[in-house]
């Protein structure tokens, strides 16, 4: 599944990402950092604007232990709202 792949790629890059982006919300697509934001809402809205609901993306806080992740599936399931 595409979201699982995005999460795996994120975890593989996490040590390096922590040196540059710790404490920030990142928008990730195809294993790369697309943009960095102060809030999950900003990152998620950017992901929806950039990729819509057809292309999977990952929004997550860059920290030692990943606590919260959102993917494009969250909007489809009605778990999140993006303007």
């Amino acid at each position: 599944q595409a979201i699982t792949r995005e999460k795996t790629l994120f975890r593989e890059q996490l040590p390096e990402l922590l040196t540059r982006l710790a404490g920030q919300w990142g928008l990730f697509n195809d294993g790369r950092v697309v943009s960095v934001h102060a809030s999950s809402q900003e990152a998620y809205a950017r992901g929806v604007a950039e990729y819509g609901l057809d292309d999977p993306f990952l929004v997550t806080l860059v920290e030692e232990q990943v606590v919260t992740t959102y993917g494009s599936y969250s909007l489809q399931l009605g778990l999140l709202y993006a303007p």
Side-chain angles (χ1 to χ4, degrees):
Q1 188 161 101
I3 291 296
T4 302
R5 180 178 175 274
E6 289 294 338
K7 287 181 183 180
T8 300
L9 291 170
F10 170 77
R11 284 189 206 103
E12 290 172 357
Q13 298 176 55
L14 186 57
E16 190 273 327
L17 293 171
L18 284 168
T19 65
R20 298 183 297 122
L21 307 174
Q24 299 181 70
W25 287 89
L27 169 61
F28 299 86
N29 179 269
D30 201 24
R32 67 181 181 86
V33 178
V34 176
S35 58
V36 179
H37 302 270
S39 73
S40 61
Q41 294 86 355
E42 290 174 6
Y44 193 82
R46 170 76 187 272
V48 171
E50 186 88 13
Y51 302 105
L53 300 177
D54 296 327
D55 193 6
F57 60 87
L58 180 71
V59 171
T60 191
L61 183 60
V62 178
E63 62 181 3
E64 282 291 334
Q65 182 178 0
V66 177
V67 175
T68 306
T69 58
Y70 303 108
S72 52
Y73 62 88
S74 298
L75 188 62
Q76 292 172 321
L77 295 175
L79 302 174
L80 292 174
Y81 167 78

